[in-house]
Amino acid sequence: MVVTNTTERKPCLSGRGVTKVFGFGNQKTVAVDHVDFDFREGDIISIVGESGSGKTTISKMILGLIGVTEGEIFFQGQPRDIKTHRKKQEYWKGIQAIFQDPFATYNMFKKIDEVLLDCINMRGGKNLPKEEKERLMTEACSFVNLKYAELTNKYPFELSGGQMQRLMIARIFLLKPKILLADEPTSMIDACSRATILDMLLKLRDEINMTIVFITHDIGLAYYVSDTIYIMEHGKFVEVGKADDVILNPQAPYTKRLISDVPKIHEEWDLSTV
Amino acid sequence: MKNTINQAFHSPKFVFGFVIFAIMLCLAILVPAFSKADPLAMQAAACYRPGTYFSIADAIEAKKYNLKMDIKSHRFDKTLTQEDKDSMVEWLVKFGNVEESEIPADAEEFVVFWINNYKDIKIKGLTNAKKQYYRKLTAKLSAMLKTSDIVIAGEDPDTGELIEENKIEFNSFTNVNDVTVRKTFLLGTDNFGRDEFIELCHAVGTSLKMGLLAGTIATIIGLILGLLSGYLGGIVDDIIVFITNLFTVIPSFVLIILISFSVDQSARGVLLVGIIIGATSWTWTTRSVRSQVISLRNRDHVNMSKLSGHSLIRIVFEDILPYIASYVVMAFILQISSAILAEAQLSMLGLGPATTKVATLGLMMNWAMSAQTPLAGQWWAFLPVIVSIALVAFSLNLMNTGLDQVFNPQLRD
Ligand SMILES: Nc1ncnc2c1ncn2[C@@H]1O[C@H](COP(=O)(O)OP(=O)(O)OP(=O)(O)O)[C@@H](O)[C@H]1O
Ligand SMILES: [Mg+2]
């Protein structure tokens, strides 16, 4: 089910027959089942699916954080080679992620400054003067509506879930990766700031031509931000296409159900079907 | 770090354990520091009771005082217990053909009455031990009835005649402070006549040092193997798990015994015993560190560290170790206490450190047992040792559970 998009942009990340099986024997779970995908450079791609459909699993495989049971992933048109830790370090320079659970994402023993400093160092800013580093961090924080002065010398567990997610995005702002996998990056941020932050991400995309893989279960949000939508059900992509096509003219029954389940504010809620 | 220490001292369990431990540690450090004497020097004959001993010759020469005091009844009051009285009455009624009403109530009259009526005869239905008891009691009581002065005489070398040199009147006293030569054994002496208290303080120190050594060795081996096995996985993990299982299947105590047995007794110092115990008891730490690391290595904070381009070593030290540090500290404390116990067990079997060099808690137990002090009722030879072992292990375990409360992230605010 390869997207037959006729744009001249080439895919920067593709997969063929990518499969992940957890456990063995009776305990076997097929989390991702022979999926193909082509993510084009500069696109915003949404992967939409309900809980447990394998969204997080596929993103971890793409990141190279867990092994692929079967199939192959291509990076910039070449089969991906991340056999050693050294090669992985190289790979991660261009691909970054925002994890689903902000509370589990941070090392509790490291101060917030260190998290941001790591990003500056990774971008080769190790030898910058202290003031310049602080200016960069302040800029990144204000980008996500956080105050750097309030965060210095704090530990991540002293922040709220939403603040942690914003910090994650500030990190991406500093790192400016080519590809970003964002696993429900705004799940704990209020609707108002969510729109701002999503707009920021879109701006970032335009600035540095970043490819964003946006993972969500909110099909409305996916429609709002993305160019291409992948609908995922039980580890398989059941529908793939341009956002307009998928939302306005859904083919798969699962997609239709997802769309009809979006609550509409101006309609009265029919509690009998719940 | 500072925060954790602060929190630890808010846990009553930890504080209680710490206080006990600190007291034991102070005894083990201060007493040897102030008494320079060799703790294994023999100072008396075997197993003297705790108390102050002073020279009788000195007491005879010391200044005499006369006190107005009914010495005899005082003696009876002090020495004749109700229990003794009851068994005496029992004997008189059962075997002495005496009516209970005939027995006088006054202590002195009662003793006189007893001496007049008691006969050391063969009686059926009385155990040997009981007979012995009556015989001893009677001898003691008749000595106490004496009120004559004591005359100290010297022998004339020519005639062989006894010449009075000194006379101690029945009611003369001396002030304890006037007797200059005396020695206090706080906990008596052991079966070799060594000062039990001094020896015990040295032994606690030695045992703690040994426990520290064994605990450190066990924790370092366990930590390194557990980290390697848990983080690297794959073939390294398989090999380490295999070795660990091998060590677990053979109970470590059997292993300790076998190794100790194969080392010559004279070469077996405290250091070596500590190394043997440490080198055989790391399995437990390895297994728990491994399982903790396995559950940690796929956490998102580790993933994020990877994405930030950190090296494997840095990930282990920054993202894994801090999370298990509390756990390792607790394992370390437990290893110390179990090493002290293992040394005690080993020494009881006669496989502990060489017996002539230092005292350890286990060796003191071994000496007390081999001299059969429990049978002889010489409690001071073994009870303080048992209590010390128990207190050290107990305080370490208390600190451990106290830390458990502190390190639990749920309690961290
Ligand atoms: N480490 C694992 N071991 C075994 N099974 C796993 C593991 N991780 C995920 N799974 C299983 O794989 C399936 C997909 O999980 P995944 O986390 O990818 O879902 P998801 O789409 O991200 O769901 P959500 O929206 O709730 O985050 C689930 O059935 C889950 O039970
Ligand atoms: Mg998920």
Side-chain angles (χ1 to χ4, degrees):
Chain A
M1 226 182 288
V2 182
V3 190
T4 48
N5 199 330
T6 49
T7 48
E8 69 285 4
R9 282 177 301 191
K10 53 183 194 309
C12 57
L13 203 59
S14 343
R16 291 290 173 272
V18 178
T19 303
K20 182 71 191 181
V21 180
F22 285 115
F24 9 17
N26 286 344
Q27 306 283 316
K28 206 151 95 175
T29 316
V30 183
V32 175
D33 191 1
H34 294 95
V35 298
D36 301 333
F37 54 86
D38 285 288
F39 298 156
R40 270 158 221 286
E41 213 170 280
D43 257 10
I44 294 193
I45 302 107
S46 284
I47 301 179
V48 185
E50 63 186 2
S51 199
S53 53
K55 307 184 296 291
T56 300
T57 309
I58 198 169
S59 88
K60 292 237 162 110
M61 279 195 289
I62 291 172
L63 284 165
L65 292 172
I66 56 175
V68 178
T69 312
E70 216 180 278
E72 191 151 21
I73 291 173
F74 297 86
F75 180 63
Q76 317 278 33
Q78 307 287 328
R80 186 178 66 169
D81 178 17
I82 48 162
K83 293 227 167 50
T84 62
H85 191 75
R86 181 80 19 101
K87 282 179 178 161
K88 279 185 186 166
Q89 275 174 313
E90 202 53 45
Y91 180 62
W92 288 324
K93 280 198 177 138
I95 186 162
Q96 281 294 327
I98 297 173
F99 294 117
Q100 183 170 12
D101 180 3
F103 293 96
T105 306
Y106 295 98
N107 184 335
M108 280 205 297
F109 298 90
K110 269 190 179 173
K111 291 200 177 133
I112 287 162
D113 310 46
E114 278 183 74
V115 175
L116 294 175
L117 273 178
D118 272 350
C119 302
I120 295 176
N121 291 344
M122 201 175 167
R123 293 276 300 175
K126 206 170 186 123
N127 298 321
L128 286 178
K130 200 164 168 281
E131 296 76 40
E132 177 64 10
K133 283 183 183 173
E134 283 198 354
R135 193 192 60 75
L136 281 173
M137 290 194 275
T138 317
E139 188 191 7
C141 287
S142 55
F143 177 71
V144 289
N145 287 333
L146 286 175
K147 289 199 181 64
Y148 174 68
E150 286 173 13
L151 296 181
T152 46
N153 271 322
K154 271 200 176 168
Y155 286 94
F157 58 84
E158 291 172 292
L159 299 186
S160 76
Q163 284 174 320
M164 289 185 191
Q165 284 188 327
R166 284 164 205 229
L167 191 67
M168 231 24 224
I169 295 169
R171 199 176 155 268
I172 299 303
F173 178 83
L174 283 174
L175 283 172
K176 300 196 168 46
K178 292 306 286 177
I179 303 171
L180 168 67
L181 282 121
D183 197 345
E184 313 223 1
T186 55
S187 61
M188 293 187 188
I189 300 177
D190 57 285
C192 199
S193 337
R194 181 179 302 169
T196 348
I197 283 171
L198 287 174
D199 284 341
M200 300 278 185
L201 276 180
L202 296 185
K203 215 171 78 194
L204 212 55
R205 190 264 306 251
D206 294 338
E207 259 176 45
I208 58 169
N209 201 22
M210 182 165 70
T211 312
I212 301 178
V213 180
F214 197 70
I215 295 172
T216 179
H217 50 241
D218 183 345
I219 199 160
L221 198 64
Y223 181 46
Y224 174 68
V225 295
S226 46
D227 306 311
T228 312
I229 294 185
Y230 284 70
I231 305 286
M232 195 168 198
E233 184 189 13
H234 299 313
K236 286 196 169 90
F237 288 144
V238 291
E239 183 152 5
V240 179
K242 284 189 152 186
D244 292 331
D245 296 344
V246 173
I247 303 300
L248 302 177
N249 185 20
Q251 302 296 318
Y254 180 69
T255 317
K256 287 179 188 160
R257 219 189 75 216
L258 274 181
I259 293 168
S260 70
D261 280 350
V262 176
K264 295 167 190 81
I265 288 178
H266 300 295
E267 273 175 29
E268 257 186 56
W269 284 21
D270 183 6
L271 290 175
S272 60
T273 60
V274 176
Chain B
M1 188 61 206
K2 209 175 137 202
N3 202 16
T4 319
I5 294 174
N6 251 335
Q7 289 231 358
F9 282 97
H10 280 110
S11 154
K13 272 189 194 162
F14 181 85
V15 172
F16 191 47
F18 184 80
V19 168
I20 299 178
F21 187 75
I23 292 173
M24 300 300 289
L25 202 64
C26 279
L27 281 180
I29 291 172
L30 294 182
V31 171
F34 282 106
S35 84
K36 288 273 176 277
D38 177 13
L40 295 188
M42 299 181 192
Q43 312 209 354
C47 286
Y48 285 168
R49 272 205 299 160
T52 301
Y53 292 77
F54 59 78
S55 150
I56 298 174
D58 258 24
I60 290 171
E61 299 299 335
K63 194 177 171 211
K64 306 278 182 305
Y65 304 87
N66 276 325
L67 298 189
K68 299 214 165 15
M69 193 172 177
D70 186 357
I71 291 173
K72 248 201 285 180
S73 70
H74 225 81
R75 280 180 187 161
F76 293 131
D77 286 350
K78 275 255 159 122
T79 47
L80 201 59
T81 63
Q82 192 58 40
E83 208 179 317
D84 286 335
K85 268 188 201 162
D86 289 346
S87 31
M88 283 154 79
V89 171
E90 189 191 326
W91 192 95
L92 288 172
V93 174
K94 259 194 189 160
F95 312 111
N97 303 322
V98 178
E99 293 291 318
E100 196 156 357
S101 52
E102 290 177 54
I103 300 171
D106 177 72
E108 196 181 333
E109 281 175 42
F110 173 66
V111 172
V112 175
F113 184 80
W114 165 260
I115 294 203
N116 290 339
N117 283 276
Y118 174 74
K119 287 181 263 335
D120 189 9
I121 45 170
K122 243 194 173 154
I123 297 167
K124 263 196 186 159
L126 210 58
T127 58
N128 253 342
K130 199 82 180 157
K131 258 185 245 171
Q132 190 78 23
Y133 162 76
Y134 282 121
R135 217 173 287 147
K136 271 190 183 165
L137 188 66
T138 315
K140 198 165 93 183
L141 290 175
S142 33
M144 274 195 279
L145 277 175
K146 274 194 200 135
T147 53
S148 51
D149 298 340
I150 292 167
V151 172
I152 294 165
E155 199 178 5
D156 189 300
D158 300 332
T159 57
E161 227 177 307
L162 289 175
I163 303 159
E164 182 181 318
E165 280 181 352
N166 201 341
K167 193 164 116 183
I168 299 169
E169 281 158 29
F170 168 63
N171 60 346
S172 68
F173 287 76
T174 185
N175 189 320
V176 176
N177 293 328
D178 287 349
V179 186
T180 41
V181 182
R182 51 188 161 151
K183 170 98 193 154
T184 304
F185 294 114
L186 224 52
L187 290 173
T189 67
D190 75 354
N191 58 308
F192 297 113
R194 301 153 174 168
D195 187 334
E196 180 90 9
F197 178 69
I198 305 284
E199 199 184 359
L200 187 65
C201 289
H202 277 90
V204 169
T206 317
S207 279
L208 278 177
K209 264 187 249 162
M210 197 258 351
L212 200 69
L213 177 69
T216 310
I217 292 176
T219 306
I220 289 178
I221 299 180
L223 185 63
I224 291 176
L225 289 184
L227 281 174
L228 282 179
S229 159
Y231 194 77
L232 294 182
I235 182 109
V236 179
D237 185 34
D238 290 342
I239 294 172
I240 293 176
V241 168
F242 178 75
I243 298 173
T244 313
N245 283 345
L246 213 73
F247 270 84
T248 326
V249 173
I250 314 166
S252 68
F253 196 61
V254 173
L255 235 124
I256 297 176
I257 291 177
L258 290 177
I259 299 177
S260 303
F261 198 72
S262 63
V263 179
D264 190 44
Q265 153 96 40
S266 55
R268 233 188 286 134
V270 175
L271 215 71
L272 192 65
V273 171
I275 292 173
I276 293 175
I277 293 175
T280 50
S281 56
W282 48 268
T283 51
W284 181 74
T285 310
T286 304
R287 294 174 131 225
S288 36
V289 166
R290 176 178 172 270
S291 62
Q292 299 253 327
V293 172
I294 285 177
S295 84
L296 274 170
R297 74 170 175 200
N298 287 325
R299 291 254 196 102
D300 277 349
H301 77 265
V302 177
N303 284 337
M304 176 148 118
S305 195
K306 286 179 181 168
L307 288 182
S308 303
H310 294 165
S311 64
L312 279 179
I313 304 222
R314 189 160 168 201
I315 292 174
V316 167
F317 276 96
E318 285 188 356
D319 301 299
I320 306 266
L321 259 187
Y323 279 79
I324 58 169
S326 58
Y327 199 78
V328 174
V329 168
M330 282 162 50
F332 177 57
I333 292 180
L334 275 190
Q335 292 276 20
I336 294 177
S337 97
S338 64
I340 291 173
L341 293 179
E343 187 273 333
Q345 290 171 315
L346 208 55
S347 296
M348 292 274 283
L349 294 177
L351 292 170
T355 47
T356 47
K357 289 173 193 153
V358 282
T360 67
L361 289 172
L363 282 175
M364 288 185 72
M365 280 305 282
N366 183 22
W367 295 327
M369 290 303 137
S370 58
Q372 304 200 322
T373 48
L375 285 182
Q378 289 150 342
W379 56 265
W380 57 91
F382 59 91
L383 203 64
V385 185
I386 296 178
V387 170
S388 302
I389 294 177
L391 279 182
V392 169
F394 176 66
S395 63
L396 285 171
N397 285 342
L398 257 185
M399 284 201 272
N400 189 49
T401 38
L403 283 181
D404 193 14
Q405 290 175 334
V406 172
F407 284 136
N408 192 333
Q410 244 72 46
L411 292 175
R412 187 182 287 171
D413 41 29

